Amino acid sequence: MNMTPKITVLLPVYNCELYIKTAVESILNQTFTDFEFLIIDDASTDTTVAILKKIVDPRIQLIQKSVNSGYTQSLNYGLQIAKGQYIARMDGDDISYPERFAKQVAYLDAHTEVVVCGTNHKIVGNVKLITLPLSNEAIKIGLLWGNRIPHSSAMIRKKILEDYGIQYDTATEPAEDYHMWIQLLAFGKLYNLPEVLLEYRVYNNQVSRKRAEEQKKSDIAAKFRMFQYLHIAWNPVEREFLERQFGKTELVSFQDLKIFKGIQKKLAIANSTLGFFESNLFNQYLIDLEVDVLRKCFLKQKRYSLLIYFEYLLAKYKWKAQLPFRQELKLGLKSLMLWKTQRFKPKTNPAMTTKH
């Protein structure tokens, strides 16, 4: 194996016995072969290690931790010992297509300003393709809503990590990749290849699902981190509103709308001054954010009345806040009919395959 490989493949694993063989083989079958393959086992208690030891390839370096110390710690250890020019991420239950590395290396070699290159992907067993924003400007706007580069599809320029002392933040797990991409925006561009080059596995009881509340808090923190690029100081009332808004589950009251319009104005002025986000895309983001706030305020009610529609009209003409026409019409009809939202108990689905 080349002592200075082009790529270091970084694969942390923990109890991945159901899928690890398929995941590893998808890496070994890459058409681009100049890589070292670091597999870091976090003290698995199933047969993951036994399966890995049966796979013979000189590029594989299996590192067994004696104590379970966490996914992000494994990632950072891998970054410390990696020899490759690029870090290719992979997870133990996903599948990389054979051309993935070749296409990512070609793009990064040709575009030295790009620090992270992801790819479009699909869900294992689902024909629907997941389309992501491709350009740096579109990804930046997308990061205001959530993560837009699948972690296991990412290839990272290692020199940037070394030059600026960047590693994964353990405090942001299980959204450590989301925070990493936001941090790297300060040092270069992000990009997603348009081709589907990864299959991502989704199933009940994944780490991200088990830790949903932690992930929610980390996602909220990531969105505030994005706003730091606009150098805005939020007062306590504004911050509390944004935390509720970014939490996605909270309803918005009519009284909240005045707070939101102040936030919206702050954001518009800050970006107009600093120009961090492309102006047209950011203006559309502000419009989309407003629609989301109005939807939570007026279209998520349990009971509707003429008072609700009157409050909407007041917001529309006082603050120039408006729902799309079809949603506005829906609100008007429900208000006239004094609609009461029915609450149905969801049916229980049979248990799906679990990760651990």
Side-chain angles (χ1 to χ4, degrees):
M1 187 183 70
N2 187 349
M3 297 303 293
T4 55
K6 186 76 169 181
I7 301 171
T8 293
V9 185
L10 182 51
L11 171 58
V13 295
Y14 176 75
N15 288 359
C16 298
E17 62 182 1
L18 294 178
Y19 310 113
I20 189 60
K21 188 172 186 290
T22 300
V24 169
E25 288 177 346
S26 77
I27 297 299
L28 298 179
N29 291 332
Q30 291 293 304
T31 59
F32 188 95
T33 60
D34 183 14
F35 60 82
E36 63 172 351
F37 193 177
L38 303 183
I39 304 178
I40 304 175
D41 179 73
D42 198 15
S44 291
T45 58
D46 65 359
T47 62
T48 296
V49 172
I51 293 170
L52 289 169
K53 286 182 175 179
K54 293 179 181 178
I55 304 174
V56 180
D57 189 291
R59 294 168 295 184
I60 293 177
Q61 298 176 51
L62 175 58
I63 299 166
Q64 294 177 249
K65 293 159 63 176
S66 58
V67 177
N68 182 281
S69 58
Y71 176 79
T72 305
Q73 195 277 340
S74 293
L75 286 172
N76 285 332
Y77 178 66
L79 293 181
Q80 290 172 18
I81 64 175
K83 299 174 183 176
Q85 178 182 351
Y86 301 130
I87 305 294
R89 277 286 295 110
M90 182 61 180
D91 281 335
D93 47 9
D94 296 337
I95 302 168
S96 287
Y97 288 6
E99 297 289 332
R100 178 193 156 190
F101 288 177
K103 292 185 176 183
Q104 287 180 300
V105 167
Y107 190 87
L108 286 169
D109 282 351
H111 300 83
T112 57
E113 75 283 4
V114 174
V115 294
V116 181
C117 178
T119 80
N120 271 330
H121 66 290
K122 61 175 295 204
I123 305 300
V124 174
N126 193 326
V127 296
K128 183 179 179 180
L129 305 183
I130 308 299
T131 56
L132 297 165
L134 305 180
S135 71
N136 183 61
E137 291 302 328
I139 292 172
K140 282 163 64 175
I141 290 293
L143 289 171
L144 291 169
W145 295 104
N147 194 356
R148 291 298 183 265
I149 298 182
H151 200 184
S152 56
S153 83
M155 188 172 284
I156 308 165
R157 196 176 296 276
K158 185 169 179 279
K159 189 176 188 301
I160 295 296
L161 303 182
E162 292 177 332
D163 288 350
Y164 297 98
I166 297 171
Q167 62 178 5
Y168 291 96
D169 184 352
T170 57
T172 63
E173 191 179 324
E176 71 290 328
D177 52 330
Y178 188 4
H179 284 261
M180 171 76 87
W181 313 150
I182 293 171
Q183 186 176 6
L184 286 172
L185 279 174
F187 307 105
K189 294 183 177 181
L190 312 183
Y191 185 75
N192 279 317
L193 293 175
E195 297 98 331
V196 173
L197 296 172
L198 180 88
E199 289 193 23
Y200 180 84
R201 201 178 299 274
V202 175
Y203 47 93
N204 281 350
N205 292 332
Q206 275 179 288
V207 172
S208 57
R209 293 193 178 194
K210 285 182 177 180
R211 301 173 64 182
E213 190 59 33
E214 291 176 63
Q215 181 146 19
K216 177 180 173 180
K217 291 179 180 178
S218 190
D219 283 348
I220 292 171
K223 293 174 178 66
F224 278 107
R225 193 169 188 169
M226 280 295 293
F227 283 153
Q228 286 178 4
Y229 284 108
L230 295 178
H231 301 165
I232 296 176
W234 304 111
N235 64 45
V237 173
E238 292 168 335
R239 188 172 186 89
E240 189 273 338
F241 172 84
L242 286 171
E243 286 175 350
R244 286 190 286 119
Q245 169 64 19
F246 293 152
K248 298 180 181 179
T249 57
E250 297 286 345
L251 295 179
V252 173
S253 71
F254 179 70
Q255 289 72 27
D256 285 329
L257 294 182
K258 183 177 180 180
I259 299 169
F260 167 71
K261 293 305 289 185
I263 290 171
Q264 192 181 43
K265 184 177 180 180
K266 268 190 176 182
L267 289 168
I269 293 172
N271 194 62
S272 177
T273 302
L274 296 173
F276 179 76
F277 297 98
E278 195 279 326
S279 59
N280 291 330
L281 290 175
F282 192 70
N283 288 340
Q284 185 60 52
Y285 164 75
L286 293 178
I287 292 171
D288 293 340
L289 187 62
E290 178 174 291
V291 169
D292 189 52
V293 169
L294 292 176
R295 180 182 59 82
K296 289 178 180 178
C297 185
F298 296 110
L299 293 177
K300 291 291 184 178
Q301 300 290 330
K302 293 182 179 179
R303 294 175 179 272
Y304 289 83
S305 66
L306 291 176
L307 175 61
I308 290 175
Y309 193 66
F310 173 77
E311 288 180 339
Y312 169 70
L313 292 177
L314 183 61
K316 179 178 178 180
Y317 293 105
K318 182 177 181 180
W319 294 313
K320 309 300 180 185
Q322 186 170 1
L323 287 164
F325 174 74
R326 292 185 65 173
Q327 292 186 22
E328 185 178 90
L329 180 62
K330 181 179 179 180
L331 173 62
L333 291 174
K334 284 188 172 183
S335 298
L336 287 171
M337 296 170 63
L338 307 180
W339 188 277
K340 179 180 178 181
T341 302
Q342 298 295 318
R343 300 290 179 182
F344 296 101
K345 184 178 180 181
K347 295 181 180 179
T348 302
N349 292 323
M352 299 175 65
T353 305
T354 59
K355 182 173 183 179
H356 302 316

